[in-house]
Amino acid sequence: MLGELDLATVILMQKCSYIVGLLSFIYLMLTNRGLRGPITLAAGFAAMTVGSTLAGYGEWKIVPPAVWQLGSVIFGIAGYMLIWLGLKTLSDGRRVTRKTLMMTCLVAVIGIIIAFQVAENNALRAILFNACAALAYLSAAWVLLIGWQKEPLLSRVALGVITGLSGLISLSVVKGLLSPSLASINIVNAFFLIIMLNFAIALFVMMLVAERSERKLLVLANTDPLTGVKNRRFFFQTMPAKPEPTDAAMLLDIDHFKSINDRFGHAVGDSVLQEVAKRIGGSIRGGDVLARYGGEEFIIFLPSAGSERATMIGERIRNAVALNEVDCGGLRIAVTISIGVATGGETDCDLQALAEMADRALYRAKSEGRNCVREALAA
């Protein structure tokens, strides 16, 4: 089937793919105010639409050769540079740096200068066009894929793979034009595949935006907005319903927190909560899970900690909170914390029962003078 397609028809199909991408990115711009990336991608696909239109007009003898030969490659270079900037912005989630922008503009200017020299030579013009495409897409693929560790989203990987394939196809076209004996794909088939990948780029950009929004909503649903730690809902939905015998739970309560609110106001109380949460988070192990239990109480799940280690961690937290006063805008407040620790041990208990055991141990810590760590008593 691919062999039956002429270049003019493929160019028309290519323009359709750019128009679909352009409309998709305009939709993202309108439905995601402030989202970085789509506006630059829309500009890039708009430039590619103009370039492919000029190329099509040239094939159909509608415009003079001097117009379409130079115009199509210039709009193509500009389009690919904008697509690269748009994908990088979308990947990083922030504006591109001045250095990146200047380097991109420099590449575009060099490409346009070369375009004036090679516009009348079909082979050289195609080499320049596809070299810019390969550079833009392979660079974008690299940025998207190396961002996986910070943002492990499948749509990010898919978009990186798709842009990488587009770049490799363009690179293979350059190789074939430079050395026809090494050609691995003809230009019509290459254009056809890139058309399919253009549709895929538009699709997976939209999927990446949607997946990010879903992830953000999930984070908001599972996070305490004041302290930034996990909330009670997340804790009881995510931690093992039946802890192992060596798993421990720890319940922590800020001592005399009501008096802090009464004396200094709720704004200061909020600052104290935030600082205490930060100190607790800095004192636990990597695998431990901290959540706000409610009010001035926090809960921690300590997998495989055992009673002795959990108590040691509790003491470390207590010291971290009590050692230095909390600075609330120049107002320094001494804060202490009481802690109750419980492990399953030989008792066959669920997570809720383990939390209740830690709560009883916390009550003992409160009744025995506060600013201390107490273990749950054996049943």
Side-chain angles (χ1 to χ4, degrees), residues 141 144-145 154-168 197:
L144 285 161
L145 292 174
L154 290 178
S155 54
R156 168 185 279 274
V157 176
L159 185 57
V161 170
I162 290 164
T163 53
L165 287 174
S166 295
L168 290 174
L197 292 171

Side-chain angles (χ1 to χ4, degrees), residues 236 241-243 249 342-344 347-360 376:
F236 284 102
K242 295 287 290 184
T343 53
T347 307
D348 184 20
C349 64
D350 58 18
L351 183 61
Q352 185 63 53
L354 190 64
E356 290 172 359
M357 290 167 60
D359 191 32
R360 289 194 292 271

Side-chain angles (χ1 to χ4, degrees), residues 49-59 63 67-72 75:
T49 301
V50 175
S52 60
T53 299
L54 289 173
Y57 284 173
E59 287 294 320
V63 296
V67 174
W68 75 265
Q69 289 171 348
L70 185 59
S72 63
F75 275 102

Side-chain angles (χ1 to χ4, degrees), residues 58-328:
E59 287 294 320
W60 294 317
K61 314 297 189 211
I62 296 175
V63 296
V67 174
W68 75 265
Q69 289 171 348
L70 185 59
S72 63
V73 72
I74 287 177
F75 275 102
I77 292 169
Y80 281 127
M81 294 305 102
L82 286 167
I83 289 170
W84 143 249
L85 288 174
L87 289 171
K88 178 169 175 56
T89 303
L90 185 72
S91 173
D92 297 345
R94 60 179 182 273
R95 296 181 186 276
V96 294
T97 62
R98 181 177 298 180
K99 180 180 177 181
T100 300
L101 186 59
M102 290 179 63
M103 288 295 296
T104 304
C105 290
L106 179 62
V107 171
V109 169
I110 292 172
I112 291 171
I113 291 172
I114 296 172
F116 276 95
Q117 309 301 316
V118 304
E120 296 181 2
N121 186 307
N122 288 340
L124 292 178
R125 191 174 67 251
I127 289 172
L128 175 62
F129 182 86
N130 284 281
C132 289
L135 178 62
Y137 281 133
L138 290 174
S139 299
W142 170 255
V143 169
L144 285 161
L145 292 174
I146 63 172
W148 161 261
Q149 289 185 333
K150 290 184 178 179
E151 187 182 45
L153 301 178
L154 290 178
S155 54
R156 168 185 279 274
V157 176
L159 185 57
V161 170
I162 290 164
T163 53
L165 287 174
S166 295
L168 290 174
I169 292 171
S170 296
L171 199 60
S172 71
V173 171
V174 172
K175 180 191 71 173
L177 290 169
L178 289 173
S179 180
S181 62
L182 298 176
S184 54
I185 186 170
N186 69 56
I187 195 165
V188 174
N189 290 352
F191 267 74
F192 185 83
L193 291 174
I194 288 174
I195 288 166
M196 297 297 101
L197 292 171
N198 284 339
F199 285 116
I201 287 171
L203 172 64
F204 278 95
V205 164
M206 297 189 75
M207 290 180 65
L208 176 57
V209 171
E211 195 171 356
R212 275 179 173 169
S213 297
E214 183 180 345
R215 188 184 187 196
K216 187 181 293 185
L217 288 173
L218 185 61
V219 169
L220 289 173
N222 292 330
T223 305
D224 174 57
L226 177 62
T227 61
V229 302
K230 299 301 181 182
N231 57 24
R232 180 171 179 161
R233 171 183 172 274
F234 172 87
F235 187 87
F236 284 102
Q237 285 189 351
T238 309
M239 297 303 101
K242 295 287 290 184
E244 296 294 325
T246 56
D247 293 342
M250 187 183 297
L251 210 62
L252 312 91
D253 185 88
I254 300 175
D255 296 327
H256 305 295
F257 184 73
K258 185 178 182 301
S259 66
I260 294 175
N261 275 334
D262 291 343
R263 288 177 62 196
F264 305 109
H266 288 280
V268 171
D270 289 348
S271 296
V272 168
L273 278 169
Q274 291 168 340
E275 179 60 25
V276 169
K278 181 179 177 181
R279 294 184 188 184
I280 294 172
S283 303
I284 59 179
R285 305 172 304 170
D288 298 337
V289 179
L290 166 66
R292 188 177 178 189
Y293 197 64
E296 67 271 25
E297 289 187 328
F298 297 89
I299 190 168
I300 305 173
F301 183 76
L302 305 98
S304 305
S307 176
E308 184 177 347
R309 184 178 297 176
T311 302
M312 290 175 58
I313 294 171
E315 287 290 348
R316 187 163 67 216
I317 293 170
R318 187 190 65 79
N319 285 327
V321 172
L323 188 61
N324 295 307
E325 296 175 327
V326 175
D327 187 351
C328 300

